[in-house]
Amino acid sequence: MTGFRLNQSGLGAGLCALMAIGQAHAADAVHGKSLYLNGPPSGGAACARCHSASPAANVSNILSAADNPAAISAAIAANRGGMGNIYAGKFSAVDLADLAAFIGNPGVIAAPVASLNPSSLTFSGTVLGQTSSSLSATLANTGSGALTIDTIGVTGAAAADFSVAGGTCAPGGAVAAGADCTVLVSFKPATAGVRSATLAVAHNGTGGTSSVALSGTGSASPQSTIGVSATSVNFGALATNVASAPQSITVSNSGQTALTLSAITLAGASGATFTLGGDCAVNKPLANGASCALTVRAQPTANGPFSGNLNLVSNAANGNVTIGLAGSGASAAAAASATPSVLAFGSQTIGAASATQNVTLANTGNVALTFSSIAVNGSSAISVAPGTHCGAALAPGATCSVPLVFAAAAEGAVSATLVASYNGGSVQVAVSGAGTTAAVATPTLSDAGPIGFGEIQVGKSAAPHTTVLRNPGTAALKIATLVIDGANGGDFILGGSCAVNGTLSPAGSCTIDTSFKPGAPGARSASLLLVTDGGTQFSLPLTGTGTAIAAAPALTLAPQSFDFGAGAGSKRFTLSNAGTAAISLSSANFSGPFARVADASGCPALPFALQPGASCDLVIGYTPATAGASNGSVVLQADGGGSWTIALAGQAAATPVNAPPAQNRGGGGCSSVRGGSDPMLALLALMAAAVLFWRRRNPAQS
């Protein structure tokens, strides 16, 4: 921003545009500071280069742009001091507003802003001494600086009945600006009845502490508790008129008495697209700790998205379950992927026993995949292991393994390419290795394929799986990289005696422990990546499925009843979702002289979904047709069988019959006499006579 000497005339359309932006955008001085010190997002000179590190120095009169983005825009447009050459088209209107805000407040610092949602967690009835499923609260940082977590704990009268059960938030941890983490809480009542406490998270954000109200009910009688391995299933892109592979959903009972399903139904816009199977059945009791499986297939008949719901109605204490089903129909297309995409054997001793590593091929298309050829091109030292691999047709989403062998025959680096050809294309993996006469390490892993942890409840941890790294070679090896990576890497835990920069001597070994702690329901996956200093690279897929205890719909109504009294009118009733899952409200049934009143600021038209922590107002009107007492209600229905009732009443007054028209007798209503005899007339006449007599006797004062 060279030569920032401004006048503010002739701003024209640019000023109008900035004023419009200003009405909608709350200027962010912290972002403006970054722009000032680092330059435009697309690259270029920083403002600080010409105006010093702080605008407070007012170099080249830059303070004339304080809180005035139009002044900056005008200077760029006029190319004052070459600003047009440097910045033309590089700052958006929002950027200019933020930059002007920083110039007006050069002492601003980045600050975190914490929010913890939902505001309350309500646990279903839980037997005394038993631990409920975990519920989750999300701590989000909507500020501009890192949010540091000091402590996470439970306080209040019944604090001992609640406990922090896990999550991704941790004391001493930090949440970056724009990021979030979760806290899981469980309930173990020691006393019957309603129990209350507060989850408190202390941090360096505004206010210092964020809290969530906790409540639950201790029950002396056993109850069943339904859990499902997924609250939604996405079939992805399916070929039209072709049935998908079955998707399995595990239904479990973690309660203390038998769980009985009274209905298993498919519904929704594309309900007919789906078919059910599995061994779960209506009126077939599921014992405590037992589980059954439901399978769902989808067969779209047209291109485009499809959706539906799988509804489970039961005697569970935590209510009924709705599982969302979705996908899209598309033309048939074959596709494949390979993991890892690059394979490195590292250095191997010439003539030593060959090394083997696996490549996993996956069907990522929507039709069955058939591999016509799997071969290695390039160095003859690298080959596919003997035998038949990936010979059977591969269903969409399925995988198979191809073992590759490296036998070093000469000194020096070698390279090759694995080419797997299928109906529709091919997938390739670059493979490398090196032969040497020097002593080398020979890392091997006790696991060659994927590590699966099965189904684990969200917030709980699977038993660790141990993989042994051995070195039967003639030289020591050093671990250069040891990480868990991938889409759901945060759901897997790494431990054991192997460590980055650790050394493994010849004939030595160490252990790699992996575990699974899902942060969300559904299929979760990641990869264990190990690289040694000799270039050898291992990649082991990690898989698991998070299961969630179905949360009962937690809709609160305020007020729960209302008496309109004698007059017609309307009343706003607040609907709030205090649970951890969306509530899909499908209908509202009214009785009596009561009806919904359209209101632009109220709840959307039914059906609609109320998200966790959200609320809206249902406006109800009272329009009595006859006099007397009126009673009625509105019953709100939700997908999955939930219902809530608001009791309504009113007392319409009777309209007077043959009421006489209003009259103005007596001149302004002074008299109520309707005949010709009004005593006020005599009084007025007497007073007038007295006044006339007084004036005649006192002419000088009149």
Side-chain angles (χ1 to χ4, degrees), residues 645-669:
T645 301
I646 301 174
L648 304 170
Q651 180 70 47
T655 303
V657 179
N658 298 324
Q663 299 185 34
N664 189 26
R665 293 187 176 90

Side-chain angles (χ1 to χ4, degrees), residues 292-311:
C292 63
L294 281 170
T295 59
V296 186
R297 290 180 183 267
Q299 185 171 332
T301 57
N303 289 351
F306 58 82
S307 63
N309 294 314
L310 171 58
N311 299 319

